[in-house]
Amino acid sequence: MNGVTVIGLGPMGQAMTSAFLRNGISTTVWNRTAGRADKVVSEGAILAPTVADALAANKLVILSLTDYKAMYDILSNFTHALKGRVLVNLSSDTPEKAREASKWAEVAGAEFLSGGIMVTPSMIGQPGSFTFFSGPKEVFDEQEHLLKIIGATDYRGSDPMLAPLYYQALLDIMFTSMAGIMHAIALMRSGNVSGKTFEPYLLNFLAFMPELVRDLSMAEEADKGTYYGELNNMNMMAAGIDHITHASHDAGINTSLPALIRDIYNKTVALGHGKDGLASIIEVLKKP
Ligand code: NDP
């Protein structure tokens, strides 16, 4: 009962199981496709024959699944076996799903922590690995000695929506900025400049981004709702993104990404923020 049960053995569940085993923690596993347990079983994991056996083995039950629906698919017929368990769901999904799951677990007599792993499977258990957690503080404190084997823990608060909220916000930055990076590379390649030739400029610019975020007071202005446009007004920015959209069209590459940003900028100007700074686009983004 002092070990860990891991349900879900994709690359992430396997990496977590290996990390627990390396640290001498008794680890019981269950996966819909049993064959995915072969590697971790060869490292010393115990393969539970049924979900009920997996739940009976340990108080701490970690879920590493595609989404929260998979958790219900697996556990709904075993809610009687959840009493007294600590479910830690490290699967990706929306903050609202985490809140619902916390209430569902409570009805079944289980404690619930939500989490968001911020690294790839190969980084699990290594320096630099970190995971957001949220849920009851005393439950987190009780389990932290095991959870920190995955990587550094960052407890964000008692509301179970908080860990997925931080996780989603950081992935939001990753997905949108990666799309911008690839669009820029497509633009360069349309001018016969290779991605590798452009890469140093790309990396230099990315290194400058933190300074830009601070210099333009993006977070602070969003909080205050006042936007100083003396050095970067939206009229100028809207013209700039319009130029990129036209340049993309002329280059024969996809224009949907700059056109989307242009639409957001134009709407911001139409709201009366033409002379305000770039952070004022939050006035458009914060609405449905
Ligand atoms: P995979 O998609 O490879 O694994 C998903 C797991 O979910 C498998 O064990 C799969 O079982 C199980 N599963 C999915 N649907 C169901 C279902 N309906 N019923 C039962 N089991 C189901 O994902 P990863 O291991 O890569 O990731 C796990 C979680 O970690 C995800 O939420 C992901 O977003 C998150 N994450 C992943 C990262 C990564 O780099 N991989 C990085 C950060 C977070 P089966 O084997 O039978 O298909």
Side-chain angles (χ1 to χ4, degrees):
M1 284 295 279
N2 293 327
V4 181
T5 287
V6 176
I7 294 182
L9 293 174
M12 191 54 93
Q14 291 190 38
M16 289 192 289
T17 302
S18 298
F20 288 127
L21 294 168
R22 281 198 305 276
N23 283 270
I25 306 297
S26 168
T27 309
T28 298
V29 296
W30 185 88
N31 194 58
R32 178 178 61 178
T33 309
R36 278 184 117 173
D38 290 352
K39 179 175 169 286
V40 290
V41 166
S42 75
E43 294 167 5
I46 303 156
L47 176 61
T50 66
V51 175
D53 291 316
L55 294 173
N58 295 294
K59 181 176 181 182
L60 177 60
V61 178
I62 291 181
L63 300 144
S64 178
L65 302 163
T66 305
D67 52 21
Y68 271 53
K69 179 185 170 295
M71 175 183 75
Y72 297 118
D73 287 349
I74 294 168
L75 298 182
S76 285
N77 290 333
F78 298 94
T79 48
H80 56 281
L82 293 178
K83 194 168 170 49
R85 295 292 168 271
V86 174
L87 297 183
V88 180
N89 198 335
L90 299 181
S91 316
S92 169
D93 218 316
T94 64
E96 206 43 52
K97 290 272 173 62
R99 270 192 179 149
E100 285 167 15
S102 176
K103 288 182 193 142
W104 172 81
E106 192 182 336
V107 171
E111 306 279 8
F112 185 85
L113 296 173
S114 55
I117 303 178
M118 298 313 304
V119 295
T120 58
S122 60
M123 291 174 71
I124 291 294
Q126 308 295 328
S129 171
F130 78 101
T131 307
F132 292 122
F133 290 97
S134 54
K137 180 77 163 71
E138 64 282 5
V139 177
F140 171 77
D141 286 344
E142 184 194 80
Q143 302 298 335
E144 195 193 2
H145 65 289
L146 291 170
L147 297 174
K148 72 183 181 191
I149 289 172
I150 299 168
T153 58
D154 192 339
Y155 176 77
R156 295 285 81 220
S158 60
D159 189 332
M161 60 84 79
L162 285 167
L165 186 68
Y166 277 80
Y167 172 85
Q168 298 293 359
L170 291 184
L171 286 188
D172 190 355
I173 296 170
M174 184 181 87
F175 290 143
T176 53
S177 51
M178 286 298 190
I181 286 168
M182 295 319 290
H183 190 269
I185 290 175
L187 188 60
M188 293 306 289
R189 285 174 51 83
S190 76
N192 295 320
V193 180
S194 73
K196 273 315 259 183
T197 304
F198 179 56
E199 190 180 52
Y201 296 89
L202 160 64
L203 295 178
N204 265 345
F205 194 78
L206 288 179
F208 167 62
M209 286 296 274
E211 200 180 315
L212 200 57
V213 171
R214 277 193 296 266
D215 197 43
L216 299 185
S217 305
M218 303 292 277
E220 193 185 336
E221 291 190 10
D223 287 347
K224 285 184 179 161
T226 48
Y227 314 101
Y228 301 99
E230 285 82 358
L231 299 176
N232 66 103
N233 73 69
M234 280 314 299
N235 287 327
M236 177 272 285
M237 294 285 179
I241 192 69
D242 188 48
H243 299 153
I244 295 171
T245 311
H246 281 292
S248 303
H249 178 265
D250 294 347
I253 68 166
N254 192 299
T255 59
S256 54
L257 191 59
L260 173 67
I261 309 292
R262 179 176 65 180
D263 182 51
I264 292 166
Y265 286 16
N266 286 342
K267 282 181 175 147
T268 307
V269 171
L271 280 176
H273 295 287
K275 293 191 173 159
D276 290 344
L278 183 57
S280 64
I281 64 170
I282 197 164
E283 293 296 333
V284 173
L285 297 177
K286 74 184 183 186
K287 290 175 189 148

